[in-house]
Amino acid sequence: MPRFLLASSLAAASAASVALAADPVRTLSPQEVPAGLAPAVERGDAAADALRDRFLKRVTAMLAQGGPTAAMSVCPTEAPRIARDVAEVHHVDIGRTSFRLRNPANAPRAWAASYVAAAAGKRPDELKPVVFDLGDRVGLLRPIVATPTCKGCHGPAEVLDPQAKAEIVRRYPRDQAIGFAPGDLRGFIWVEVKKR
């Protein structure tokens, strides 16, 4: 089974709700993905891996240099550039999203919104594979799992570094992205790939 597909344990309910929605998005299990879509899905998977790896490498480097406050600077300044670079190399559209946003600019794409919302509170091991048929494109969601590195910016409020907490309030007054523990589902990398 390809490792690029993702869904929550709500796959059946989510698929039904998406299928009943006004837009033509169709949710597919791995067994339903036509063989002809495999190259597009593989490109999407490679792009998601590249975004995750480059982002984590940069956050880890900044954390080592200047702690959580320095690492936090990666999200608003460098993450969009990293996503643009990955998109250009892999010929996809790509970004990060969550059911608890820090940056409103990272709101889920319309095709992913109900699915992302339904994943709130789920553990990564509860997720099941799914792909979104978007007509001329394929949509993929890859989990972002909170690691120990994430706790400096996304951990419980009582353990956040005071400077990091002040920076979060300054940059993101409506922040919802704290309270995560290592192993929690933090959100998703989304990818849109042209079928051909």
Side-chain angles (χ1 to χ4, degrees), residues 58-78 152-153 161 163-164 167 171:
R58 189 66 185 133
V59 167
T60 302
M62 292 301 287
L63 192 59
Q65 287 178 17
T69 304
M72 191 180 308
S73 70
V74 174
C75 290
T77 59
E78 297 184 49
C153 297
D161 174 85
Q163 287 183 329
E167 187 66 9
R171 288 181 187 255

Side-chain angles (χ1 to χ4, degrees), residues 49-192:
D49 288 346
L51 179 63
R52 181 200 62 226
D53 293 348
R54 287 184 60 184
F55 181 79
L56 285 177
K57 182 178 179 180
R58 189 66 185 133
V59 167
T60 302
M62 292 301 287
L63 192 59
Q65 287 178 17
T69 304
M72 191 180 308
S73 70
V74 174
C75 290
T77 59
E78 297 184 49
R81 180 184 48 76
I82 292 170
R84 282 192 303 273
D85 291 348
V86 169
E88 187 175 321
V89 168
H90 292 273
H91 309 289
V92 300
D93 289 328
I94 191 166
R96 296 170 299 134
T97 193
S98 183
F99 39 85
R100 285 171 39 199
L101 293 172
R102 172 158 288 166
N103 184 345
N106 290 337
R109 291 283 173 115
W111 58 266
S114 64
Y115 182 81
V116 170
K122 300 295 177 191
R123 303 231 8 118
D125 59 2
E126 295 179 85
L127 304 173
K128 293 183 181 179
V130 71
V131 99
F132 295 82
D133 186 339
L134 306 175
D136 63 340
R137 294 161 295 129
V138 171
L140 303 175
L141 291 172
R142 291 284 306 276
I144 298 171
V145 180
T147 68
T149 303
C150 303
K151 70 182 178 187
C153 297
H154 295 289
E158 61 274 10
V159 304
L160 289 181
D161 174 85
Q163 287 183 329
K165 192 185 294 188
E167 187 66 9
I168 291 168
V169 170
R170 184 184 75 76
R171 288 181 187 255
Y172 307 104
R174 294 187 178 140
D175 177 60
Q176 302 172 17
I178 61 170
F180 291 94
D184 285 350
L185 179 67
R186 165 68 190 95
F188 298 92
I189 293 173
W190 62 264
V191 190
E192 289 183 15

